[in-house]
Amino acid sequence: MSQAPAPPRPGRRHDREIVSLAVPAFGALVAEPLFVMADSAIIGHLGTPQLAGLGVAAALLMTAVNVFVFLAYATTAAVARRVGAGDLPAAIRQGMDGIWLALLLGAAAVAVALPAAPWLIGLLGASGTSAPYAVTYLRISALGIPAMLVVLAATGVLRGLQNTRTPLHIAVGGFTANAALNALLVYGAGLGIAGSAWGTVIAQCGMAAAYLTVVVRGARRHGASLQPDAAGIRACARAGAPLLVRTLSLRAILVIATAVAARLGDAEVAAHQIVLTLWSLLAFALDAIAIAGQAITGRYLGAGDTAGARAACRRMVQWGVASGVVLGLLLVLARPLLLPLFTADEAVHGLLLPALLVVALVQPVSGVVFVLDGVLMGAGDGPYLAWAMLATLAVFAPLALAVPALGGGLTALWWVMGVMMAVRLVTLGLRAASGRWLVTGAVRG
């Protein structure tokens, strides 16, 4: 008599689920910064003032997007809980509340950005030659902010529905359209930097339309209402507020680090920017696992399966450690090849080598931090995440500011960045071990 095949081990089941969600999520994450890269490549051929103007305006736009990223995080967790509870109509209804909140916030951002554009550009210190280009780009691109925020919220809806493939397809389509439109409008129509801004706005609106088409179809299929619900929108805002605090605290850490590097010298701040760019690139890979963690954790807790949530968390932590080790080793091995890509300045090279080694050593810690961050977001544990990041900022700020005062250099600054990640590991690890995040139900009470 033939034996029945053994059921798959829980670890393998989690592995398949993590990979199916994380790999497309990574592709979508990488596609996002390609928008700015495409704009930079095309505008760079117009002249240095235009490129400098783009740099200043893009920094403001990216800050706005990063500040509102809670629209994706909070929506993912809320929708995933409803999915776990088996209530798809309510899940999509929850997602629509997030999208309506995105539209309201986007309209408010446009109302501020249009009249304040010259002041904002001046605040960032744009030169007299680049400022007009920066103002032009910012005012036009600001019109796309509502679409950008809808994309964030709708991405959260689909992630909560355990679908990361559609966001990947839309992101790739958006990048392709953006590059083509920019080339056509900048050079073909002769619109210069304004053409690049309009091309990006059109591409972003197209992405938002694609997302809305998918979500609306799902709503109609499951009988979910598309009308704005004031109570639901307020609930989304309340859930997102702690994550906004977390995000602002993290942005403050990065701004302080850059300010300290600038005080160390020109070579130091140039090297710091390169290290930060590579650190951010590595973060995309680790963040993909965190996104899987948000979706999987929310679904398990919505279904009342705390054992499944714990098991998935343990497995994703293992993935985080392994991914961090691999990324750290790749960075060490690639250092000689990476340096010439960014600069030929030997002084900068000398600063980069030890700083990149620190980044490589910290990657396994970063892997665990990103995973636990995603798991706790999926659990809707926003208030704790906010307090934990504020505590991390309180530890980081005096240590970072002490680097130049004590005669430290760029490597010392990045060791402080490593301490920052270690503090996050402790705060998030203690929370995960406590089990207080294991709150079940379709809605976190």
Side-chain angles (χ1 to χ4, degrees):
M1 180 183 294
S2 62
Q3 292 183 339
R9 291 185 299 176
R12 289 186 177 179
R13 184 181 74 250
H14 290 312
D15 288 346
R16 288 196 297 270
E17 194 169 26
I18 293 166
V19 170
S20 68
L21 291 170
V23 172
F26 174 69
L29 288 169
V30 171
E32 290 175 10
L34 292 179
F35 271 85
V36 177
M37 289 179 62
D39 288 358
S40 300
I42 292 171
I43 292 176
H45 293 286
L46 295 176
T48 300
Q50 290 91 332
L51 184 59
L54 169 68
V56 174
L60 288 167
L61 290 166
M62 291 303 294
T63 297
V65 174
N66 287 327
V67 164
F68 291 120
V69 75
F70 71 84
L71 289 166
Y73 294 158
T75 305
T76 297
V79 172
R81 276 184 174 271
R82 298 281 192 178
V83 170
D87 193 348
L88 280 177
I92 297 174
R93 172 66 262 175
Q94 188 94 45
M96 285 304 306
D97 292 335
I99 290 173
W100 280 111
L101 176 61
L103 285 170
L104 291 174
L105 292 173
V110 172
V112 171
L114 290 180
W119 178 78
L120 291 170
I121 296 300
L123 188 65
L124 265 66
S127 67
T129 55
S130 65
Y133 296 109
V135 171
T136 297
Y137 189 90
L138 180 59
R139 278 183 165 157
I140 297 172
S141 295
L143 300 175
I145 291 177
M148 294 163 70
L149 300 191
V150 166
V151 166
L152 285 176
T155 299
V157 175
L158 295 184
R159 288 173 180 171
L161 293 171
Q162 318 295 297
N163 177 1
T164 57
R165 292 186 178 276
T166 299
L168 171 60
H169 297 154
I170 295 175
V172 171
F175 166 71
T176 304
N178 179 62
L181 286 167
N182 279 4
L184 178 64
L185 296 175
V186 171
Y187 298 119
L191 296 180
I193 194 170
S196 177
W198 280 117
T200 300
V201 169
I202 294 170
Q204 289 163 345
C205 290
M207 291 174 67
Y211 272 113
L212 289 175
T213 299
V214 174
V215 174
V216 168
R217 283 177 180 171
R220 288 175 175 167
R221 185 164 57 248
H222 295 285
S225 173
L226 299 174
Q227 298 299 316
D229 176 66
I233 294 172
R234 285 196 299 269
C236 287
R238 284 195 300 270
L243 296 179
L244 175 61
V245 173
R246 169 202 168 274
T247 300
L248 290 174
S249 301
L250 180 58
R251 296 300 299 178
I253 287 171
L254 299 179
V255 169
I256 291 171
T258 300
V260 169
R263 292 175 63 186
L264 297 175
D266 289 346
E268 283 81 1
V269 74
H272 173 76
Q273 186 59 38
I274 295 171
V275 177
L276 191 61
T277 299
L278 292 171
W279 186 70
S280 300
L281 180 62
L282 297 175
F284 283 130
L286 299 175
D287 203 28
I289 304 174
I291 288 170
Q294 293 173 31
I296 293 170
T297 301
R299 193 190 74 237
Y300 272 119
L301 293 179
D305 187 356
T306 57
R310 277 192 181 277
C313 177
R314 284 195 299 269
R315 192 60 174 173
M316 283 183 284
V317 166
Q318 293 169 0
W319 270 79
V321 172
S323 300
V325 170
V326 171
L327 291 173
L329 290 173
L330 288 175
L331 182 59
V332 170
L333 294 174
R335 282 187 309 165
L337 301 175
L338 291 171
L339 300 186
L341 293 177
F342 291 98
T343 179
D345 190 330
E346 291 298 329
V348 176
H349 285 185
L351 294 167
L352 278 172
L353 286 170
L356 287 176
L357 182 59
V358 174
V359 172
L361 291 172
V362 174
Q363 286 308 295
V365 174
S366 299
V368 178
V369 167
F370 275 71
V371 165
L372 293 179
D373 207 34
V375 166
L376 295 180
M377 282 185 191
D381 207 13
Y384 181 84
L385 290 172
W387 284 111
M389 190 60 78
L390 284 171
T392 303
L393 174 60
V395 173
F396 172 81
L399 291 177
L401 294 173
V403 168
L406 298 176
L410 185 68
T411 302
L413 175 60
W414 274 93
W415 274 118
V416 174
M417 291 286 284
V419 171
M420 178 269 293
M421 295 303 294
V423 172
R424 293 188 69 192
L425 176 65
V426 171
T427 57
L428 299 179
L430 289 174
R431 186 65 167 184
S434 74
R436 294 178 182 175
W437 54 280
L438 293 165
V439 179
T440 59
V443 179
R444 183 182 173 99

